[in-house]
């Protein structure tokens, strides 16, 4: 977490752009085999990595996303290229890799992203049956970042290897706009992790952003001159908690999210055993969850 925060903060503290900070933080997490993103990702049922990523611009609501890519070491870089150089929002599989090659992103061999820990876990699942214990109890997971810069720009991004032993071609919430990620400068930016099939059901990132954009008391109710009650004091945290509660209640599953509201207040919530996260305060103090 510290490396990721440093990578992003170095850019923001020097007056750099949120898009660069989010990309740098996520690249550092993709390059760390601890996480299920980039190198060290879970293998799918066929023993291959298939990676998904998204980057979203809160000013324009434009996103770039890629899914099921096998030969891109840092899919967040490719998502950025889609955002900046394509008329499309999402590219998948061989088409996304072709776009990578045509846009200066080197292609690696699919084996280059596989590490022994994941190959062993995959073999155990084949010999036995798929089980969380084979995958360190699912402790490593999707990565994401949200950043505001001093110019007022807000970006959010998410990158993942998806769920272990997934069917080839399965795509989860992570690269889907509104599900695994959303950013709207008028509301806030969000990145999610957890059980993709559940997160997609409640469109969790968009749900969080919509709540952030309309705190109680911000609008007059239609029938009266009275305002709604004032929002809870830490409204960003209230929103994060509400989303995870909804995920548990309506999708009966687990996950988490990190977010920044439009004023830069951070929050995080999860209903898994753990979720590693951190943020940098405006004056530069690093806060990392224990
Ligand atoms: N959300 C990811 C997916 O379903 C997995 C994760 O966050 O660990 O693909």
């Amino acid at each position: 977490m510290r490396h990721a925060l440093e990578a992003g903060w170095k850019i923001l503290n020097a007056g750099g752009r949120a898009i660069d900070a989010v990309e740098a933080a996520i690249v550092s997490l993709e390059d760390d085999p601890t996480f299920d993103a980039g190198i060290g990702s879970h293998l799918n049922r066929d023993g291959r990595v298939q990676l998904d990523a998204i980057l979203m611009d809160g000013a324009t609501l434009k996103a770039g996303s890629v899914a099921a890519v096998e030969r891109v070491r840092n899919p967040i870089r490719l998502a950025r290229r889609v955002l900046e150089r394509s008329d499309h929002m999402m590219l998948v599989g061989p088409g996304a890799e072709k776009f990578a090659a045509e846009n200066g992103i080197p292609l690696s061999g699919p084996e280059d992203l596989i590490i022994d820990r994941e190959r062993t876990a995959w073999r155990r699942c084949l010999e036995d049956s798929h089980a969380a214990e084979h995958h360190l109890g699912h402790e490593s997971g999707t990565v994401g970042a949200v950043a505001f810069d001093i110019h007022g720009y807000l970006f959010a991004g998410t990158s993942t290897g998806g769920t272990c032993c997934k069917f080839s071609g399965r795509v989860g919430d992570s690269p889907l706009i509104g599900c695994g990620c959303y950013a709207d400068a008028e509301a806030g930016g969000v990145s999610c992790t957890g059980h993709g099939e559940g997160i997609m059901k409640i469109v969790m990132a968009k749900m969080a952003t919509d709540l952030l954009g309309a705190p109680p008391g911000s609008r007059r109710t239609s029938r009266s001159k009275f305002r709604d009650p004032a929002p809870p004091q830490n409204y960003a945290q209230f929103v994060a908690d509400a989303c995870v509660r909804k995920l548990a209640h309506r999708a009966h599953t687990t996950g988490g999210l990190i977010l920044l509201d439009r004023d830069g207040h951070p929050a995080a919530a999860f209903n898994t055993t753990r979720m590693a996260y951190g943020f940098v305060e405006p004056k530069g103090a690093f806060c990392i969850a224990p």
Side-chain angles (χ1 to χ4, degrees):
M1 292 312 308
R2 178 164 295 281
H3 289 154
L5 291 174
E6 277 166 3
W9 179 244
K10 208 166 95 185
I11 292 165
L12 295 173
N13 196 31
R17 299 187 303 157
I19 187 171
D20 295 321
V22 168
E23 183 187 32
I26 292 181
V27 163
S28 113
L29 296 164
E30 287 176 338
D31 286 344
D32 186 334
T34 306
F35 299 100
D36 176 30
I39 187 157
S41 286
H42 296 322
L43 306 194
N44 68 9
R45 212 177 68 157
D46 298 344
R48 304 166 79 96
V49 290
Q50 287 195 329
L51 308 179
D52 310 326
I54 181 169
L55 184 63
M56 182 159 181
D57 178 351
T60 61
L61 303 183
K62 189 170 189 293
S65 95
V66 294
V69 294
E70 298 189 357
R71 296 189 298 152
V72 178
R73 198 179 177 86
N74 293 111
I76 196 68
R77 288 200 200 284
L78 179 56
R80 178 173 179 169
R81 290 284 207 286
V82 174
L83 170 62
E84 293 181 327
R85 297 193 189 175
S86 149
D87 292 332
H88 307 304
M89 189 168 277
M90 185 169 194
L91 296 174
V92 305
E97 289 175 1
K98 188 171 178 192
F99 183 83
E102 286 178 9
N103 284 276
I105 305 244
L107 295 180
S108 51
E111 294 286 313
D112 298 349
L113 303 178
I114 298 179
I115 62 168
D116 287 346
R117 178 194 72 209
E118 292 304 322
R119 204 190 298 278
T120 305
W122 174 74
R123 282 214 187 96
R124 286 207 183 119
C125 289
L126 282 189
E127 286 158 11
D128 185 356
S129 63
H130 170 70
E133 305 84 79
H134 300 330
H135 299 274
L136 299 177
H138 289 317
E139 282 218 336
S140 64
T142 296
V143 305
V146 187
F148 249 123
D149 61 35
I150 51 165
H151 317 288
Y153 290 105
L154 169 71
F155 279 81
T158 304
S159 179
T160 190
T163 48
C164 41
C165 307
K166 64 189 179 183
F167 202 90
S168 176
R170 176 268 186 189
V171 176
D173 62 299
S174 305
L176 302 185
I177 186 169
C179 294
C181 178
Y182 202 78
D184 179 349
E186 295 184 359
V190 183
S191 178
C192 304
T193 180
H195 182 227
E197 281 69 10
I199 294 171
M200 288 188 274
K201 282 182 184 168
I202 65 159
V203 197
M204 189 156 83
K206 183 66 163 66
M207 176 191 167
T209 315
D210 285 347
L211 289 170
L212 287 173
S218 60
R219 284 176 306 174
R220 281 183 194 285
T221 52
S222 54
R223 283 195 297 118
S224 91
K225 59 185 178 0
F226 298 111
R227 287 179 177 273
D228 298 337
Q233 219 176 15
N234 189 344
Y235 186 62
Q237 187 60 49
F238 173 85
V239 168
D241 291 337
C243 290
V244 170
R245 269 202 312 277
K246 176 100 169 181
L247 184 68
H249 172 64
R250 290 297 287 127
H252 308 289
T253 194
T254 55
L257 72 166
I258 56 168
L259 61 81
L260 284 180
D261 73 11
R262 62 186 163 206
D263 300 316
H265 299 121
F270 54 97
N271 62 350
T272 46
T273 320
R274 295 179 60 213
M275 184 179 81
Y277 67 94
F279 59 89
V280 186
E281 288 184 336
K283 286 193 178 142
F286 281 29
C287 303
I288 298 177

